[in-house]
Amino acid sequence: MSAIRLLVLGAVRQHGRAHGYQVRNDLEYWGAHEWSNAKPGSIYHALKQMAKQGLLHAHDIAPSTAGGPPRTEYELTAAGEAEYFALLRAALAQHDQKVDMLSAAIGFVVDLPRAEAVALLKERVRALEEWRSTVTGYYTPEEGTGTLGHIGEIMNMWVHSADSGAAWTRGLIERIEGGAYVFAGEGEPFVGVLADGQENPYAAKSARSQGDGTSVEPGGDGAAGRKGGDGAATEAH
């Protein structure tokens, strides 16, 4: 699964309707450009691709004051809403998710009802325990990992990863069952997005000054065709 799809869908959903710069700004506010592939070019590409796939509806609004092309705002379609929750549920329940996918899912976990979030996380613990037993029962010799030389450290790493992942997940389950956080249907959730035009204190350097020396102001419209931090062309949508 792709973390960028979950991140972009989740960011757009939190706004209701959002243009590309808002999505990029939110993901940088969350630090996603550091722990995932959510770089500027990837974000704009994901928005366009998911619009083509029917997951997002693109609205062209008034042209920018700088005279550029109309800005595009995106909102989730019914298919996009279904895709978002499918990605979220799978990322929380499956034991073998990459760190960026799991991180994105934890960031959106409160979009689910509390009981469902707990059930998905319990499924993750079950899957981790099953995977651990596979490692110890199938891959590890009866005499112990020492008989495999340094290769045995691979099994040690797998077991440690399963144990630490399960322990962390159980702790999160305990906190959620204890009443932590505001989940869907319980009231106003924690707001983790920036208002349009709000300065982002955690923005990547590329958000203000591109590698080609072109400045980009927060909320600006005139960045079409400039290079993002990953070298890919970006558009001010």
Side-chain angles (χ1 to χ4, degrees), residues 42-53:
S42 300
I43 293 167
Y44 292 110
H45 177 74
L47 286 166
K48 289 184 175 182
Q49 285 298 109
M50 288 193 287
K52 290 180 181 178
Q53 294 165 359

Side-chain angles (χ1 to χ4, degrees), residues 3-74:
I4 189 69
R5 288 171 72 87
L6 177 57
L7 285 165
V8 169
L9 287 170
V12 171
R13 187 177 183 276
Q14 289 198 19
H15 283 284
R17 277 173 59 158
H19 54 78
Y21 190 85
Q22 283 177 305
V23 174
R24 173 183 171 180
N25 210 29
D26 286 341
L27 298 191
E28 289 180 345
Y29 184 53
W30 303 337
H33 58 298
E34 300 289 351
W35 49 261
S36 77
N37 61 339
K39 303 300 189 290
S42 300
I43 293 167
Y44 292 110
H45 177 74
L47 286 166
K48 289 184 175 182
Q49 285 298 109
M50 288 193 287
K52 290 180 181 178
Q53 294 165 359
L55 303 178
L56 295 172
H57 182 71
H59 302 272
D60 285 336
I61 60 174
S64 71
T65 56
R71 170 181 279 176
T72 302
E73 288 188 342
Y74 299 89

Side-chain angles (χ1 to χ4, degrees), residues 9 24 66 92 104 123 140 151 155 165 180 193-194 213 221:
L9 287 170
R24 173 183 171 180
L92 290 171
E123 172 58 24
T140 305
I151 302 301
M155 287 70 186
V193 298
L194 296 167
D221 298 315

Side-chain angles (χ1 to χ4, degrees), residues 1-235:
M1 288 188 288
S2 169
I4 189 69
R5 288 171 72 87
L6 177 57
L7 285 165
V8 169
L9 287 170
V12 171
R13 187 177 183 276
Q14 289 198 19
H15 283 284
R17 277 173 59 158
H19 54 78
Y21 190 85
Q22 283 177 305
V23 174
R24 173 183 171 180
N25 210 29
D26 286 341
L27 298 191
E28 289 180 345
Y29 184 53
W30 303 337
H33 58 298
E34 300 289 351
W35 49 261
S36 77
N37 61 339
K39 303 300 189 290
S42 300
I43 293 167
Y44 292 110
H45 177 74
L47 286 166
K48 289 184 175 182
Q49 285 298 109
M50 288 193 287
K52 290 180 181 178
Q53 294 165 359
L55 303 178
L56 295 172
H57 182 71
H59 302 272
D60 285 336
I61 60 174
S64 71
T65 56
R71 170 181 279 176
T72 302
E73 288 188 342
Y74 299 89
E75 67 176 325
L76 269 65
T77 62
E81 186 87 356
E83 174 76 357
Y84 168 70
F85 280 106
L87 291 171
L88 177 57
R89 290 175 175 122
L92 290 171
Q94 295 176 5
H95 78 280
D96 55 352
Q97 294 296 329
K98 293 182 179 179
V99 173
D100 60 348
M101 193 68 182
L102 180 59
S103 298
I106 294 302
F108 296 127
V109 66
V110 295
D111 287 348
L112 296 167
R114 184 180 298 270
E116 183 178 7
V118 168
L120 291 168
L121 291 167
K122 286 182 176 180
E123 172 58 24
R124 182 172 190 268
V125 172
R126 186 205 64 76
L128 282 166
E129 290 173 341
E130 181 179 314
W131 179 60
R132 187 191 193 282
S133 67
T134 300
V135 174
T136 57
Y138 181 78
Y139 291 105
T140 305
E142 292 184 4
E143 300 81 5
T145 58
T147 61
L148 298 174
H150 72 282
I151 302 301
E153 293 299 339
I154 297 174
M155 287 70 186
N156 291 337
M157 179 184 68
W158 288 349
V159 170
H160 177 78
S161 177
D163 289 343
S164 60
W168 171 82
T169 307
R170 290 191 192 97
L172 177 57
I173 290 170
E174 183 178 351
R175 291 188 290 277
I176 293 173
E177 289 183 325
Y181 319 122
V182 179
F183 284 79
E186 297 180 349
E188 290 297 321
F190 173 79
V191 178
V193 298
L194 296 167
D196 193 13
Q198 182 181 353
E199 185 175 356
N200 179 3
Y202 307 112
K205 293 180 180 179
S206 60
R208 302 201 175 196
S209 178
Q210 308 294 337
D212 59 1
T214 305
S215 296
V216 178
E217 295 299 327
D221 298 315
R226 295 173 185 165
K227 290 184 178 180
D230 60 356
T234 63
E235 298 180 12

